[in-house]
Amino acid sequence: MAILKIARMGHPVLKRIADPVADPTAPEIHKLINDMVDTLEDIGGAGLAAPQVHVPLRVVIFHVPGARIAAEDGVVGENPPGIPLTALINPEITPLVPETIAGIEACLSVPGLAGMVPRYRHIRYRALRPDGAVIEREASGFHARVVQHECDHLDGILYPMRMTDMKTLSFVEELRRFENKEAED
């Protein structure tokens, strides 16, 4: 396994539409996914798309811990079950409702920044798994946000391109500093 270098905003691999994967069971796809998992574990974050590691293929991985769902979706009480590490190959997203909800997003390819991004509230996604089987799920809230964010990378879209108010683009450090200051007041 290997830790891969993250492509940053401005790199051509992040600007293009990624190529479909012909054979999800191919050894090179399994190696790519394993290396992406190592990279995500090393750097942290909820997900990673193959173009972010300089590979222009339609592959994403993500996980959504229950505690993060609770925090992001405002769940009170016990943490909901999380979504375990999932690999999607050639994913397709279908919005199930027209409504969007805005939320703060950051990205490993846009280090140090975060901004408010509208995303569909409820989606269905369908993809191939590394064993070639079809995976189809419905997702809402933070789960849906993560999947949409990662799949955008496959179409050459970074979250600032989805922002509707660039005044919300901020350094993460400043967001945390002023959040803490507001909490103290």
Side-chain angles (χ1 to χ4, degrees), residues 50-182:
Q52 290 182 276
V53 293
H54 304 270
V55 179
L57 292 174
R58 299 187 75 76
V59 177
V60 302
I61 63 167
F62 70 94
H63 67 103
V64 189
R68 185 82 188 264
I69 292 171
E72 298 288 341
D73 294 347
V75 176
V76 179
E78 280 189 42
N79 287 340
I83 307 301
L85 186 66
T86 303
L88 303 176
I89 300 166
N90 300 332
E92 299 170 358
I93 295 175
T94 304
L96 296 178
V97 296
E99 295 86 30
T100 62
I101 185 165
I104 294 287
E105 291 187 22
C107 181
L108 298 171
S109 293
V110 188
L113 295 174
M116 193 68 74
V117 181
R119 297 283 184 188
Y120 288 109
R121 180 185 307 269
H122 192 136
I123 63 169
R124 175 180 297 115
Y125 59 92
R126 177 181 163 80
L128 297 173
R129 298 187 323 198
D131 64 3
V134 172
I135 179 172
E136 188 167 347
R137 289 182 182 154
E138 286 189 23
S140 58
F142 187 65
H143 177 189
R145 177 171 298 282
V146 170
V147 171
Q148 291 172 84
H149 176 108
E150 296 310 328
C151 289
D152 266 357
H153 284 293
L154 306 180
D155 293 325
I157 299 170
L158 297 176
Y159 80 83
M161 298 161 80
R162 295 268 186 213
M163 293 176 62
T164 56
D165 183 357
M166 291 304 289
K167 288 187 279 183
T168 69
L169 185 64
S170 304
F171 285 100
V172 172
E173 186 177 286
E174 293 298 306
L175 282 174
R176 288 187 183 132
R177 184 166 68 111
F178 288 106
E179 259 180 18
N180 292 339
K181 190 172 188 169
E182 288 175 7

Side-chain angles (χ1 to χ4, degrees), residues 12-19 51 56 153-157:
V13 75
L14 296 173
K15 296 177 180 181
R16 63 169 289 203
I17 295 175
D19 299 325
H153 284 293
L154 306 180
D155 293 325
I157 299 170

